Amino acid sequence: MPICKLPPHLVNQIAAGEVVERPASVVKELLENSLDAGAGRIRIDVDEGGIRRMRISDDGCGIAAEQLALALDPHATSKIASLSDLEAVATLGFRGEALASIASVARLTLASRTPEAAEGSEVRAENGQLSSRQPRGMPPGTIVDVEDLFFNTPARRKFVRTERTEFGHIDDLVRRLALARPATAFELVHNGRAVRRLVAATDERSRQRRVGDVCGQAFVDQALYLENRHEGLALEGYIARPSFSRSQADLQFFFVNGRLVRDRLIAHAVRQAYQDVLFHGRHPAFVLHLTIDPARVDVNVHPQKTEVRFRDSRQVHGFLFSTLHRALAETRPTADRSAPAAAPAVSGATFRPAQGGLGLGVAESVARYAGLAGASAHAGTQDPEADTPPLGFAVAQIHGVFVLAENAAGLVIVDMHAAHERIVYERLKQSWSEQRVKAQHLLVPERVMVSEREALALEKRVGELNRLGFELELAGPDSVTIRAVPALLAGSDCIQLVRDVLADLVEMGRSERVAELIDDLLSTMACHGSVRANRRLNPDEMNALLRDMERTERSDQCNHGRPTWVQLDMKSLDQLFLRGQ
């Protein structure tokens, strides 16, 4: 066939294949335009899961009448004008292909009015044909009406799922954007019935309510609020306690400058922060917002803009990991979870529970707790309102497995082995850290083949690897000689260990492989070294265990992610026995 230029309408339909996958894709593009226009209120009307109709109304800045037709041209945008703008994109949309692509596969009506205009205007588009501009009475803002999606591309329409499925995708999208922009009110209507009404959230309490509306109140009840700033990076949001882990990654929302992203580097940092507090096969839940200079992140790496690339990925990874790791270290029984507790390891960081209840900071000193531990094992002799520790005082031991204690709130049940396992594990980690990593030289040096990128990573990070206990030398452009490995891992497969570490350095700019393996070994040692089930403890030993839990980081869960203690308050106990009913 001879070379020929494709007609504009066909070009737009091809482009629509990247932008418009299903009705939710259309809603996403239009909602992002509304948010970029500064909308304070957005209404989404959907009929038949969006297949028949989608109508987005906002109160944003609007489009001038003389520019309505231009807005439907491909790659026409008010959001970037030069390459420098593209390198520092601060808006959700910016390429200008969405409206033209949508108009090529649906019947579209675009109506808008700027605040200074006396009336609005509208244009219609169908099969690449644009109607003349008409006046329209409407308040300031923009209305985009999309009907009969894929009416002219039946092959694409065959891939559209059921009404329920397609609306589910739209609802998920609205939930995500509602978390991204809490100051904007959203209303979602399906087949004439209001499904979601989310009022604008302008203060911390209402923002927390927005998180509860989207993620469920159970998430908020079990969430820690965190806030940290460091070297131009700011992280704010909620992470669920490990005990609120999920069977799937369905409550994970991470926003970069207000844009929801799915990023391997971010996922890796979060997974590492939770690695020794989460039950095997479970997933953490979180709603986190990262703010960064737009020039330091590339958002133009995916057609649907769901992936990003950080200019300094290593710094971002370290910032995320250290902030989350420190916040999770404070998951321990304390007197007042409503009070913020600063974390000395992270400059300027604030961590606190999302709501009141048991808390993060132990006010009493170790010496004072030691005195309390020597008191009578039965807390009934104590004034419950005066100087009662967070976990109270031991009253009994059940079958050599559980410790029962009375605190100011009611009854505490402690899994004796799980709690002691965490205490021993944290002590082992601290001891290991203070003694630094010792190297173990191999009797016979090993040689391993590597890629050019891995060899370059080794050259750049050889000092770092030495501090981890490795002694590695480049033996050529594609091979490395292993002379020493960390002493604690001397019995492992050293060749595979070095391969994994170098692969991490290439992929992430850093490797936690050694730390993870050492933590696994220390966890095993802690499990075998902790108090076993069926061992009888006297009252002083039980109280000493409770006091250790209050001082130990991450003691809300054992090394395997299981909870170490539960609280039954007086209201819960009354309900068990139908008291007051």
Side-chain angles (χ1 to χ4, degrees):
M1 293 177 62
I3 296 174
C4 60
K5 190 173 181 179
L6 296 176
H9 184 61
L10 181 55
V11 170
N12 290 339
Q13 287 186 322
I14 294 171
E18 292 184 346
V19 178
V20 183
E21 179 185 357
R22 60 191 337 144
S25 309
V26 174
V27 176
K28 173 183 181 293
E29 298 293 339
L30 300 181
L31 287 181
E32 288 182 351
N33 280 344
S34 294
L35 292 170
D36 286 341
R41 297 189 309 276
I42 303 176
R43 175 176 169 128
I44 307 102
D45 288 276
V46 176
D47 291 339
E48 297 178 12
I51 300 167
R52 190 170 76 82
R53 187 187 187 197
M54 294 163 279
R55 185 176 187 266
I56 313 298
S57 323
D58 69 54
D59 63 350
C61 64
I63 304 170
E66 63 274 13
Q67 292 199 312
L68 273 185
L70 182 60
L72 292 172
D73 272 4
H75 305 294
T77 179
S78 61
K79 301 172 187 179
I80 59 171
S82 65
L83 181 60
S84 60
D85 293 336
L86 187 60
E87 292 174 347
V89 173
T91 52
L92 295 175
F94 51 88
R95 294 172 177 167
E97 84 276 36
L99 286 176
S101 296
I102 295 168
S104 70
V105 292
R107 298 182 173 93
L108 183 145
T109 302
L110 172 63
S112 194
R113 176 188 166 190
T114 59
E116 59 273 10
E119 63 178 0
S121 301
E122 74 170 29
V123 292
R124 298 174 183 270
E126 183 175 330
N127 277 326
Q129 300 298 314
L130 195 64
S131 70
S132 59
R133 190 173 78 232
Q134 301 291 328
R136 175 167 174 168
M138 61 180 293
T142 300
I143 300 172
V144 184
D145 214 329
V146 179
E147 298 180 281
D148 301 328
L149 184 64
F150 302 136
F151 78 99
N152 55 357
T153 51
R156 297 281 303 281
R157 193 180 181 99
K158 287 192 296 186
F159 289 95
V160 174
R161 303 305 177 191
T162 64
E163 176 180 329
R164 180 178 179 180
T165 298
E166 296 301 341
F167 179 73
H169 286 290
I170 293 173
D171 187 36
D172 286 343
L173 169 69
V174 173
R175 291 170 62 235
R176 296 196 298 267
L177 288 174
L179 288 175
R181 299 297 176 91
T184 302
F186 291 85
E187 183 177 7
L188 176 60
V189 178
H190 187 218
N191 293 332
R193 183 176 65 88
V195 177
R196 290 192 184 275
R197 282 197 179 99
L198 301 170
V199 299
T202 55
D203 57 26
E204 184 175 344
R205 183 175 293 275
S206 58
R207 285 194 294 271
Q208 184 173 295
R209 190 182 307 118
R210 169 69 64 91
V211 173
D213 288 341
V214 174
C215 300
Q217 189 58 39
F219 170 79
V220 175
D221 291 342
Q222 293 296 319
L224 298 172
Y225 174 81
L226 60 84
E227 185 177 6
N228 189 24
R229 297 176 183 275
H230 184 66
E231 294 185 351
L233 300 173
L235 186 67
E236 179 270 335
Y238 300 88
I239 60 172
R241 296 175 180 278
S243 57
F244 189 77
S245 62
R246 312 280 292 177
S247 61
Q248 53 188 337
D250 59 339
L251 274 183
Q252 297 186 351
F253 302 96
F254 197 98
F255 303 92
V256 177
N257 292 342
R259 183 192 306 277
L260 181 72
V261 299
R262 304 287 185 188
D263 184 86
R264 284 189 298 173
L265 179 137
I266 292 169
H268 185 266
V270 173
R271 187 169 61 251
Q272 279 196 320
Y274 273 90
Q275 70 180 359
D276 65 353
V277 294
L278 208 61
F279 199 68
H280 180 69
R282 304 289 291 181
H283 300 271
F286 53 84
V287 178
L288 293 169
H289 297 261
L290 176 67
T291 304
I292 184 174
D293 182 349
R296 297 173 62 184
V297 57
D298 183 3
V299 299
N300 194 27
V301 296
H302 190 277
Q304 296 181 358
K305 301 180 280 290
T306 55
E307 297 176 8
V308 295
R309 183 181 296 117
F310 296 102
R311 311 292 184 195
D312 190 344
S313 59
R314 192 176 182 208
Q315 183 198 23
V316 173
H317 185 284
F319 173 71
L320 295 178
F321 169 76
S322 61
T323 303
L324 300 182
H325 185 70
R326 192 65 218 158
L328 289 168
E330 297 302 326
T331 53
R332 53 182 166 181
T334 50
D336 182 13
R337 278 187 175 162
S338 62
V346 185
S347 175
T350 297
F351 309 122
R352 67 175 182 272
Q355 296 197 341
L358 287 174
L360 292 178
V362 177
E364 292 83 357
S365 68
V366 173
R368 186 179 178 198
Y369 273 148
L372 289 172
S376 169
H378 197 291
T381 63
Q382 303 286 327
D383 179 353
E385 300 300 324
D387 298 329
T388 303
L391 292 181
F393 298 98
V395 295
Q397 187 181 16
I398 305 297
H399 291 294
V401 176
F402 299 105
V403 171
L404 305 186
E406 180 183 349
N407 66 358
L411 175 67
V412 173
I413 306 174
V414 175
D415 182 326
M416 185 177 72
H417 172 73
H420 195 235
E421 185 178 3
R422 169 59 71 180
I423 293 167
V424 174
Y425 178 44
E426 293 297 327
R427 288 175 178 170
L428 285 172
K429 287 199 297 182
Q430 181 66 26
S431 176
W432 171 257
S433 174
E434 291 171 354
Q435 294 175 11
R436 305 295 178 186
V437 180
K438 296 180 180 179
Q440 171 70 57
H441 282 80
L442 304 182
L443 290 175
V444 180
E446 297 275 7
R447 179 172 290 192
V448 56
M449 305 302 292
V450 297
S451 68
E452 183 178 340
R453 293 177 67 196
E454 289 171 338
L456 182 61
L458 172 58
E459 270 191 312
K460 288 182 177 179
R461 304 280 160 73
V462 65
E464 212 173 284
L465 293 171
N466 286 341
R467 288 192 294 275
L468 288 173
F470 287 102
E471 188 178 319
L472 307 176
E473 292 179 0
L474 282 174
D478 59 356
S479 64
V480 170
T481 299
I482 308 171
R483 300 193 180 279
V485 295
L488 205 57
L489 304 178
S492 63
D493 183 344
C494 63
I495 292 179
Q496 188 59 47
L497 176 60
V498 170
R499 286 187 186 279
D500 291 341
V501 168
L502 292 178
D504 287 347
L505 290 177
V506 170
E507 182 69 22
M508 299 291 177
R510 58 183 289 162
S511 177
E512 301 293 338
R513 188 80 55 172
V514 173
E516 290 173 3
L517 289 172
I518 289 174
D519 282 350
D520 285 345
L521 286 174
L522 296 180
S523 178
T524 300
M525 293 165 62
C527 185
H528 290 292
S530 57
V531 62
R532 311 307 297 177
N534 301 316
R535 175 182 168 182
R536 291 292 173 181
L537 302 181
N538 63 42
D540 284 345
E541 288 175 323
M542 288 188 282
N543 280 314
L545 175 65
L546 299 179
R547 303 295 79 80
D548 275 343
M549 290 175 65
E550 291 157 350
R551 293 191 293 265
T552 302
E553 293 180 343
R554 305 175 186 86
S555 61
D556 278 359
Q557 53 279 316
C558 75
N559 315 346
H560 314 293
R562 294 188 295 110
T564 59
W565 65 284
V566 296
Q567 171 82 62
L568 292 176
D569 60 18
M570 293 305 297
K571 181 179 179 181
S572 300
L573 292 171
D574 286 342
Q575 289 176 342
L576 286 174
F577 294 96
L578 305 180
R579 287 174 57 87
Q581 298 185 23

